[in-house]
Amino acid sequence: MQITDFNDFLLAARAQDEPQRLLFVFAARELPLNHTPGQKKRFEAGQGGALAPVMCVDKAVDELLDFATLVRESQQTGQPWDIAFVAALPGIDGALPTAPDVERALKMMIDAVHRGAVERFLAFDADGKVLRLT
């Protein structure tokens, strides 16, 4: 299945044999402390910069109606973000993943975002469109 937007991702997660816990790490663009003038210029033009995790959450598939609902919930925190990194953590034998498993997975995602190792996650912009990060 080709995933082009968040709704495709939800459909894929709902179609799995095992229940899924959806993991979200929201990140904001920031200018690195030791930036060059060129990096600053590109950043101000909406390109480049670094991504910093600003919040995370997990949801069962049936807890989330659509991306707009997730965006509204995130806005209630008052924390702005630019990209939502998403992964699904499957349960076992019909049970959702345990809280320690979810916490461990979210910590690994946050660490991966800090390192820029995000290729194994889906990334969505604030409109729910898939981003291809290079």
Side-chain angles (χ1 to χ4, degrees):
M1 169 182 228
Q2 176 107 5
I3 295 178
T4 59
D5 62 22
F6 190 78
N7 290 331
D8 289 345
F9 171 70
L10 277 180
L11 287 172
R14 288 179 179 137
Q16 300 304 305
D17 292 335
E18 293 291 345
Q20 305 288 304
R21 198 87 191 152
L22 306 181
L23 310 176
F24 300 91
V25 173
F26 297 88
R29 286 179 56 244
E30 66 179 14
L31 190 58
L33 290 176
N34 298 325
H35 61 274
T36 66
Q39 287 173 320
K40 182 176 181 181
K41 186 175 180 177
R42 283 191 302 280
F43 181 81
E44 290 170 348
Q47 299 175 333
L51 291 171
V54 293
M55 64 183 158
C56 65
V57 69
D58 65 287
K59 300 259 183 200
V61 173
D62 61 354
E63 290 179 307
L64 195 56
L65 185 62
D66 56 21
F67 195 71
T69 303
L70 181 69
V71 169
R72 278 192 302 278
E73 288 180 13
S74 73
Q75 289 171 338
Q76 291 173 358
T77 69
Q79 178 63 58
W81 56 273
D82 298 299
I83 295 175
F85 291 101
V86 183
L89 184 64
I92 299 173
D93 295 330
L96 283 168
T98 65
D101 289 340
V102 170
E103 186 175 334
R104 189 171 27 260
L106 281 171
K107 284 181 181 179
M108 288 182 352
M109 285 181 72
I110 290 167
D111 181 59
V113 171
H114 276 297
R115 292 183 289 111
V118 295
E119 57 280 344
R120 64 183 188 213
F121 310 125
L122 287 173
F124 295 94
D125 67 12
D127 295 322
K129 299 225 183 327
V130 172
L131 296 173
R132 307 274 183 243
L133 302 176
T134 57

